[in-house]
Amino acid sequence: WFCSGQSNMSLELKHTLSWGESTKKIQGGTYDNIRIHGLGSNMNVDQPWKTVNDADADGTLLHYSSTCYYFAEKLTDEFRENGQTPPPIGLVHTAWGGSTIEDWVDDETL
């Protein structure tokens, strides 16, 4: 899943009210299916993918897009609520805070 947009998509997980609850669930293995990209510099295509477990362990997860992460958490929960095994979910964070809306919409749409 591509997570693109402006500053609202860039809000880091550490600035949300429920990040502590999510961290406990990650450490308990609840979200082993989630993979994230876009940690160091979200525009660096050469950076490695990480599991949320690895990103939590090294402290980088708290700097990841909260909107992007919570989307994957919710999607995982919905699979389980429907009696299904959640598939691997890959998140690519490409948001850029301070960008204008014109940067994200093609000329024809504008």
Side-chain angles (χ1 to χ4, degrees), residues 31-85:
Y31 300 113
D32 288 347
N33 63 309
I34 301 173
R35 310 290 186 267
I36 56 179
H37 188 273
L39 291 166
S41 165
N42 64 19
M43 299 302 171
N44 178 358
V45 297
D46 294 324
Q47 64 188 304
W49 284 85
K50 284 191 178 185
T51 64
V52 291
N53 304 66
D54 291 342
D56 179 56
D58 70 15
T60 56
L61 182 63
L62 290 178
H63 301 286
Y64 199 70
S65 165
S66 59
T67 305
C68 192
Y69 172 75
Y70 286 133
F71 166 75
E73 192 176 278
K74 177 70 172 156
L75 191 58
T76 297
D77 292 344
E78 287 184 11
F79 272 100
R80 287 201 174 104
E81 289 167 7
N82 289 314
Q84 299 172 314
T85 300

